[in-house]
Amino acid sequence: MNIGQASDASGVSAKMIRYYEEIGLVRPMGRTGNNYRVYGEEEVHILRFIKRARNLGFSLEETEMLLKLWQDKERTSAAVKEVATAHIGDLERRIAEMQGMVRTLKHLAHCCGGDERPNCPILDDLAGAPAPAPQPV
Amino acid sequence: MNIGQASDASGVSAKMIRYYEEIGLVRPMGRTGNNYRVYGEEEVHILRFIKRARNLGFSLEETEMLLKLWQDKERTSAAVKEVATAHIGDLERRIAEMQGMVRTLKHLAHCCGGDERPNCPILDDLAGAPAPAPQPV
DNA sequence: GTGGACCTTCCCATGATGGGAAGGTCAAGG
DNA sequence: CCTTGACCTTCCCATCATGGGAAGGTCCAC
């Protein structure tokens, strides 16, 4: 299998496959005489693993750990769970942060006329004016 | 005011102040004879505006638009509100995406023993096994 | 006059991804 | 046999916002 076929089979772009190779995540089975990378089912499986991990928001560094655990038949499920729960915590922290932004922005947008006049509580807030008290909804 | 003092007064690092200048967000009032940047209250105000916008998750590009609207006395509040609501939509999309990840991960982590044994549904999922049915909580 | 705390510019790194150039290879069809 | 197009290769650059650090100039207090 050439890199293009591996890309089709895994859903990972050829560009990224080469990059994952560069950072040590997945190596081709070998090279043909013309220096083309050759992949087999195993490599495609790894690429799909990486893609799935990325879809769940794991960084490539975390993905690498998970990949090593996957390939380590002596792993403990505790080790895997630890990586996962740390990531969940991370996501939840970021979600909470963004929810805070949304809450503030919605309040400001709600207070903004959104009309032809220049007066705007959103800009007032950004400019450092004390925030208008949130109205009970 | 030197850049260090402007940094202290605005909470923006000197490094970032220079960068914001480079991309056209804020220029120093002038330079001293020794080529030091000089800032006044107005520039510090702009820096705080930028910082606040960044804290609300606006990109520097969006921040630039908001800054221009702020400085344009002819602006309409509708224009400002549009930038804000677009950003809210963006945040909500990202939050929903991350919540989906968390939901999946929590389910998988819940199904994972987290013990000394190697058997692990998290890895099974990443490896492409059909997900175990979520148990009603 | 010396040391330390500033300031300047310039280059590099991050993380994950894509764009694109320049050049080699292969297969199919004229 | 030759061309064309679809592959492949490596290499460099860009993104976004931020920080690190080097090399060198400046200023103030002791």
Side-chain angles (χ1 to χ4, degrees):
Chain A
M1 218 181 328
N2 281 341
I3 197 170
Q5 297 165 296
S7 170
D8 290 347
S10 65
V12 178
S13 75
K15 209 86 182 184
M16 278 303 102
I17 296 178
R18 293 194 196 95
Y19 177 62
Y20 295 159
E21 177 181 348
E22 192 186 324
I23 64 172
L25 286 194
V26 59
R27 255 167 313 160
M29 273 180 15
R31 298 268 187 154
T32 62
N34 50 33
N35 204 29
Y36 287 11
R37 289 167 177 84
V38 180
Y39 297 91
E41 282 310 318
E42 193 181 323
E43 287 76 25
V44 169
H45 202 172
I46 295 175
L47 288 169
R48 278 200 282 251
F49 183 102
I50 296 172
K51 190 182 173 68
R52 174 81 178 130
R54 297 286 303 128
N55 282 343
L56 289 177
F58 288 103
S59 70
L60 284 181
E61 194 175 4
E62 290 163 330
T63 301
E64 185 180 8
M65 296 188 55
L66 292 169
L67 204 43
K68 280 183 180 149
L69 287 167
W70 182 41
Q71 289 162 341
D72 174 10
K73 295 304 170 203
E74 309 295 314
R75 77 196 164 232
T76 65
S77 66
V80 182
K81 192 167 180 172
E82 195 181 316
V83 175
T85 53
H87 181 47
I88 291 170
D90 212 62
L91 286 168
E92 287 184 327
R93 233 168 293 122
R94 283 153 61 194
I95 288 170
E97 194 183 353
M98 292 166 78
Q99 281 173 336
M101 294 175 186
V102 167
R103 206 172 308 121
T104 302
L105 285 165
K106 280 198 166 171
H107 171 58
L108 291 172
H110 176 74
C111 294
C112 171
D115 52 32
E116 299 306 305
R117 288 169 301 166
N119 190 294
C120 178
I122 301 172
L123 291 179
D124 292 347
D125 177 275
L126 290 170
Q135 302 302 319
V137 183
Chain B
M1 217 180 327
N2 281 340
I3 199 170
Q5 297 165 295
S7 170
D8 290 347
S10 65
V12 178
S13 75
K15 210 85 182 184
M16 278 302 103
I17 295 178
R18 292 194 197 96
Y19 177 62
Y20 294 159
E21 177 181 349
E22 192 185 325
I23 64 172
L25 286 194
V26 59
R27 256 167 312 161
M29 273 183 13
R31 297 269 187 154
T32 62
N34 49 34
N35 204 29
Y36 286 11
R37 289 167 177 83
V38 180
Y39 298 91
E41 283 310 319
E42 193 181 322
E43 287 76 27
V44 170
H45 202 173
I46 295 175
L47 288 169
R48 278 198 283 250
F49 184 102
I50 297 171
K51 190 182 174 66
R52 175 79 177 132
R54 296 286 302 127
N55 282 343
L56 288 176
F58 288 103
S59 71
L60 284 181
E61 194 175 3
E62 290 164 330
T63 300
E64 187 181 8
M65 296 190 54
L66 292 169
L67 204 43
K68 280 181 181 153
L69 288 168
W70 182 42
Q71 289 162 342
D72 174 10
K73 294 306 170 201
E74 310 294 314
R75 77 196 163 231
T76 65
S77 65
V80 182
K81 193 167 180 171
E82 196 181 315
V83 175
T85 53
H87 180 46
I88 291 171
D90 212 62
L91 286 168
E92 287 184 329
R93 234 167 293 123
R94 284 153 60 194
I95 288 171
E97 195 183 352
M98 292 166 77
Q99 281 172 337
M101 296 174 184
V102 167
R103 205 171 310 122
T104 302
L105 286 165
K106 281 197 166 171
H107 171 58
L108 291 172
H110 177 74
C111 295
C112 170
D115 52 32
E116 298 306 307
R117 288 169 301 168
N119 189 294
C120 179
I122 301 173
L123 292 180
D124 291 346
D125 176 274
L126 290 170
Q135 301 303 318
V137 182

